Amino acid sequence: DAGITQSPRHKVTETGTPVTLRCHQTENHRYMYWYRQDPGHGLRLIHYSYGVKDTDKGEVSDGYSVSRSKTEDFLLTLESATSSQTSVYFCAMGTPNTGELFFGEGSRLTVL
Amino acid sequence: QQPVQSPQAVILREGEDAVINCSSSKALYSVHWYRQKHGEAPVFLMILLKGGEQKGHEKISASFNEKKQQSSLYLTASQLSYSGTYFCGTELSGSARQLTFGSGTQLTVLP
């Protein structure tokens, strides 16, 4: 059991279209995160959540929104995708005691 | 603010040692270390908390210098399986679990 899954794993879309990535966890963890990974930049935090309907911005939040209506689901939305948002997106959940992160397998998004 | 990692890349022979450094300009509450293999998700190695002790995991250990806001990851007697990109993640004091990662150190272990 993965404990945390992302969907879709791959997506190709066109500039200007809306895109939603879904992160689903089965561990009932409070903390969830969305990161993007680009060559030379490592993992950059987009948004994170510390509970249902409790979210906050990370360092690269412009152009992204999130929602968390249930503990198990954390959605990342690109309202109008741009080519600069082509990236690999990782979702993660944080364990309650130590805060270590478990990452999903990643979603590769290409915006043409 | 993103922590600074050094070096950016390291090439080793099997059995050699390596040190990866991570530094922040702000007061840290914790430092995490992760390893990512090509095409895979990052995997947790260890966490060091403010006021905590040096951690170890087999031949991989780490330290946290609170005065300098620096952490170092030590890989001893490297194995081929150690190859990958290593990331440090830092949590600032009072940041409520907001984890910011460095740009990574690519480690290659050759036979």
Side-chain angles (χ1 to χ4, degrees), chain A residues 35-82:
Chain A
Y35 289 90
R36 61 177 288 175
Q37 186 171 37
D38 307 287
H41 291 280
L43 294 151
R44 291 184 290 175
L45 182 64
I46 306 171
H47 283 277
Y48 67 105
S49 171
Y50 43 94
V52 173
K53 297 187 180 178
D54 289 325
T55 64
D56 207 349
K57 296 179 180 181
E59 54 190 310
V60 290
S61 59
D62 287 348
Y64 302 95
S65 62
V66 290
S67 66
R68 191 157 178 212
S69 58
K70 299 184 291 184
T71 298
E72 58 265 36
D73 290 325
F74 191 31
L75 303 180
L76 177 70
T77 298
L78 292 68
E79 300 291 346
S80 178
T82 67

Side-chain angles (χ1 to χ4, degrees), chain B residues 83-101:
Chain B
S83 291
T85 302
Y86 290 78
F87 294 98
C88 70
T90 55
E91 180 186 355
L92 302 183
S93 295
S95 71
R97 297 281 186 100
Q98 183 174 346
L99 198 63
T100 303
F101 286 91

Side-chain angles (χ1 to χ4, degrees), chain B residues 44-107:
Chain B
F44 174 80
L45 293 175
M46 65 188 73
I47 180 173
L48 299 102
L49 301 175
K50 181 179 177 180
E53 298 177 353
Q54 180 167 336
K55 292 288 187 70
H57 176 66
E58 296 183 344
K59 295 179 181 177
I60 300 176
S61 62
S63 63
F64 179 19
N65 185 324
E66 295 174 37
K67 288 185 179 179
K68 294 185 177 181
Q69 305 305 325
Q70 292 177 349
S71 178
S72 294
L73 184 72
Y74 306 95
L75 298 101
T76 306
S78 298
Q79 305 169 14
L80 296 177
S81 62
Y82 286 4
S83 291
T85 302
Y86 290 78
F87 294 98
C88 70
T90 55
E91 180 186 355
L92 302 183
S93 295
S95 71
R97 297 281 186 100
Q98 183 174 346
L99 198 63
T100 303
F101 286 91
S103 56
T105 296
Q106 188 171 349
L107 182 80

